[in-house]
Amino acid sequence: MIRVRDLRVSYGGRVVAHVPELDLPARTVVGIAGESGSGKSQTALALMGLSEYAGARVTGSIALDGEELTTKSPSEWRRIRGRRMGMIMQSPRAALNPTMRLGAVFSRTLKLHGVGGGERASRMRSALDEVVLSPDILQRYPHQVSGGQAQRFAIALVSALRPDVIIADEPTSALDVTVQAEVIEVLRGLRDKHGTALLFISHDLAVISELADSVTVMRQGEVVESGPAGEVLRAPREPYTQALLAAVPVIGRSAS
């Protein structure tokens, strides 16, 4: 689905993210790990064609099914976002309009992407069912739902458009462990049921290990290690990756 080569995101003369190579085939999950400021979210914004709105310059190649995206116009990008590529933001409740009920947000999103009125209701019901949310949630405002419900609603909003690729930027960072597990299971279901390719961004290697087929580790804007998840997480070569893994708390392990 996605093929990235020599991607650079820069502000002025400073490169904040450099990804030499990244492949995201259909029905696979690629995890991008690293601490805050490592370039993970900047990479995600570039892949969605949103970097320029933040004043960044993007060079290199981003191809979707062989089609180069970096040369697309804003109008061409709008036809790609949502329909072919979707993004789950880190703080979904903050991204929702507090004056609109969730049902209005959902219906408007589908309408903007060309889903007819007769099909919208069935798409919403199906998407909410996939993330284990009651249709009653559509009558609520963003402040009336929990963090976990807001995150699952955000996933439903993206999956209802049935994109080929979903980019999830820290989708579990603000959730407790139980809800994290629920969200991971939902994302795994989208991959298995629809063949969705998923780019899963997180600072938490423990969460990535639950879902990813391969892992790319970033530090200070650069890729320091990448490979199959089993290899990177069980026998990391780079000291930084080893440090990230050592920071994952393990019950019963005493501090030294």
Side-chain angles (χ1 to χ4, degrees):
M1 288 292 180
I2 294 287
R3 182 181 183 271
V4 173
R5 293 295 182 271
D6 197 27
L7 174 66
R8 295 175 189 266
V9 182
S10 57
Y11 291 83
R14 182 187 177 193
V15 177
V16 297
H18 175 216
V19 181
E21 183 176 336
L22 180 69
D23 292 307
L24 179 59
R27 207 179 290 275
T28 62
V29 180
V30 173
I32 297 185
E35 62 192 304
S36 296
S38 62
K40 306 186 305 297
S41 293
Q42 292 294 334
T43 300
L45 291 175
L47 294 179
M48 290 296 296
L50 295 171
S51 295
E52 65 179 45
Y53 296 103
R57 179 172 178 263
V58 176
T59 60
S61 173
I62 304 170
L64 175 63
D65 280 345
E67 182 180 3
E68 184 59 44
L69 300 182
T70 57
T71 57
K72 297 294 184 185
S73 67
S75 61
E76 289 173 324
W77 262 113
R78 283 193 290 272
R79 288 193 291 270
I80 293 170
R81 291 193 206 100
R83 299 181 188 183
R84 299 210 61 196
M85 296 175 63
M87 187 169 183
I88 302 167
M89 298 296 186
Q90 184 172 353
S91 303
R93 186 152 45 186
L96 295 170
N97 189 329
T99 68
M100 294 178 66
R101 295 183 191 272
L102 297 181
V105 173
F106 212 148
S107 180
R108 185 183 182 195
T109 299
L110 294 176
K111 181 180 179 180
L112 287 172
H113 286 284
V115 180
E119 191 180 352
R120 280 178 224 152
S122 62
R123 286 260 193 126
M124 286 191 282
R125 284 195 302 270
S126 176
L128 291 175
D129 185 59
E130 285 183 342
V131 299
V132 198
L133 284 176
S134 167
D136 295 343
I137 199 171
L138 298 176
Q139 302 304 316
R140 302 182 196 174
Y141 290 94
H143 72 274
Q144 294 176 317
V145 299
S146 68
Q149 288 173 324
Q151 191 62 276
R152 283 185 284 164
F153 176 79
I155 295 172
L157 198 62
V158 171
S159 68
L161 292 168
R162 300 170 187 168
D164 301 316
V165 178
I166 293 178
I167 298 174
D169 187 5
E170 298 274 12
T172 62
S173 62
L175 307 178
D176 62 46
V177 175
T178 302
V179 180
Q180 278 186 6
E182 293 175 357
V183 170
I184 289 172
E185 192 59 35
V186 168
L187 294 173
R188 184 181 287 118
L190 292 177
R191 177 198 62 189
D192 296 342
K193 183 177 180 180
H194 301 298
T196 307
L198 177 65
L199 188 69
F200 187 88
I201 297 171
S202 178
H203 64 277
D204 191 338
L205 281 173
V207 174
I208 285 180
S209 69
E210 293 290 322
L211 192 61
D213 300 298
S214 64
V215 178
T216 293
V217 181
M218 298 187 70
R219 184 188 188 192
Q220 297 178 352
E222 295 287 343
V223 173
V224 297
E225 186 165 3
S226 63
E231 294 180 11
V232 173
L233 299 178
R234 291 194 185 97
R237 301 184 305 274
E238 295 297 321
Y240 179 69
T241 309
Q242 295 168 8
L244 284 180
L245 286 167
V248 176
V250 177
I251 294 176
R253 182 174 68 187
S254 61
S256 56

